[in-house]
Amino acid sequence: MPQPIVVTQKRTMVNGATETYRMWRASWIDDEGVRRVVSLGNAEKVSERDAKAKLAAKMQAKAKPSAESVTVEWWAGECLAAWRIDKAQKTVSDYVRSHAMLVDKWGPRPLRSITDADAKKWMNAIEGSPYTKRRYVLIAAAWFNEATRMPRKQKPYLLSSPFADLAIPSPGETGDVRYITVAERRALLEALPDSNWRALVALAGLCGMRNEEAFHVRPEHLNHDSRAIVVRLREERRGKGGGTKQGTRLVPMSPAAYALIRER
């Protein structure tokens, strides 16, 4: 256990004068061979007892478990806490569900004990649509891949991810999803009861807008000169991707989509 020592430091004031002051400081070499240095407060205001208490707290906060002792439950919890920040509610819900499934299946098992066969079996046991299954598997794969770089690239928790070579099926390969033809789209539009429905189909199907975006389009959001729609992004989506720092993005309209939306 390292001990705090008092070191003398100097700082230059605004007027150019030099001031000397005393600080508590401690240093040590951690288990990975990295030298750690922490400041523990002004020696004129902090007692040696308080400096030792601060040092113990900082060392505990910086302590990382060994690769052999890291469990799936601990690592999934670390990833969930770090990845859910500033994400949309739907994304956070997917993270929470992925975390729950990983913990339920492998919680106390060491992270390094999960094999390629385990990952494949876990993927095949997921219930839901092909899109849902793919989403959860991609999240788990990203978390396990992150463990191959953390806490240090030279000494990671995982040497290789069991999801690295997993053949994650694409929803388009399942046979449950297909594209509609132009004739089918025309028949769909003709069967709709009014211009409200036709405009929604144009916004979502022809412009690729999210449902909540399509429902909030107003006439003043249309740029008739550039044939584009100004979409106001949700707060949590701002800054996610190029050109979105202003909180908006432009969605182009095809001639067919523009005609249907203008009709409404």
Side-chain angles (χ1 to χ4, degrees):
M1 174 71 178
Q3 296 297 316
I5 61 173
V6 176
V7 297
T8 301
Q9 295 184 298
K10 295 181 180 181
R11 60 186 171 199
T12 303
M13 310 298 287
V14 177
N15 59 8
T18 301
E19 180 183 69
T20 301
Y21 62 100
R22 300 165 67 241
M23 292 285 293
W24 287 108
R25 180 176 293 176
S27 63
W28 72 97
I29 305 297
D30 65 13
D31 295 337
E32 298 176 350
V34 179
R35 181 179 177 81
R36 306 289 184 181
V37 180
V38 295
S39 295
L40 303 169
N42 192 312
E44 306 299 331
K45 301 177 181 179
V46 177
S47 67
E48 183 177 1
R49 179 180 177 180
D50 291 340
K52 289 182 178 180
K54 282 188 175 183
L55 174 60
K58 286 179 178 288
M59 289 188 67
Q60 184 176 4
K62 289 180 178 293
K64 297 289 185 182
S66 64
E68 292 74 17
S69 66
V70 170
T71 63
V72 174
E73 182 174 12
W74 183 86
W75 179 245
E78 290 286 295
C79 291
L80 176 62
W83 286 45
R84 68 186 300 167
I85 300 174
D86 297 331
K87 298 294 191 303
Q89 185 56 50
K90 176 62 171 66
T91 302
V92 173
S93 297
D94 289 341
Y95 288 168
V96 171
R97 178 58 180 154
S98 297
H99 170 270
M101 289 191 295
L102 289 170
V103 171
D104 181 62
K105 185 67 175 178
W106 301 322
R109 284 184 57 177
L111 194 67
R112 287 192 169 186
S113 73
I114 308 303
T115 65
D116 296 3
D118 290 330
K120 185 175 182 179
K121 197 175 296 184
W122 180 83
M123 178 185 71
N124 292 335
I126 297 176
E127 297 180 354
S129 70
Y131 288 97
T132 300
K133 176 176 290 194
R134 181 177 176 83
R135 176 66 169 161
Y136 293 145
V137 174
L138 288 176
I139 291 172
W143 289 359
F144 272 77
N145 186 59
E146 186 76 2
T148 65
R149 300 188 293 265
M150 298 289 287
R152 294 177 60 207
K153 192 172 182 180
Q154 293 80 0
K155 292 186 67 176
Y157 291 135
L158 277 182
L159 299 179
S160 62
S161 169
F163 287 84
D165 298 322
L166 187 63
I168 305 174
S170 170
E173 298 170 358
T174 64
D176 297 332
V177 179
R178 70 175 181 84
Y179 293 103
I180 65 172
T181 65
V182 174
E184 289 172 328
R185 186 188 70 192
R186 186 181 301 114
L188 170 63
L189 291 170
E190 291 175 354
L192 295 173
D194 54 39
S195 60
N196 282 320
W197 282 100
R198 287 191 288 273
L200 281 174
V201 169
L203 291 169
L206 301 181
C207 298
M209 295 177 66
R210 300 178 178 90
N211 289 342
E212 69 271 17
E213 293 174 342
F215 280 118
H216 287 87
V217 170
R218 298 290 179 267
E220 59 269 22
H221 297 161
L222 270 63
N223 186 321
H224 295 276
D225 294 331
S226 61
R227 300 288 177 88
I229 304 169
V230 180
V231 176
R232 306 290 174 184
L233 300 180
R234 298 192 310 268
E235 189 65 32
E236 64 268 22
R237 289 291 305 167
R238 296 190 178 188
K240 312 295 184 186
T244 62
K245 292 183 178 180
Q246 292 74 33
T248 62
R249 68 183 178 93
L250 288 178
V251 176
M253 294 178 284
S254 66
Y258 179 70
L260 293 168
I261 295 167
R262 187 176 181 183
E263 175 191 0
R264 171 62 186 90

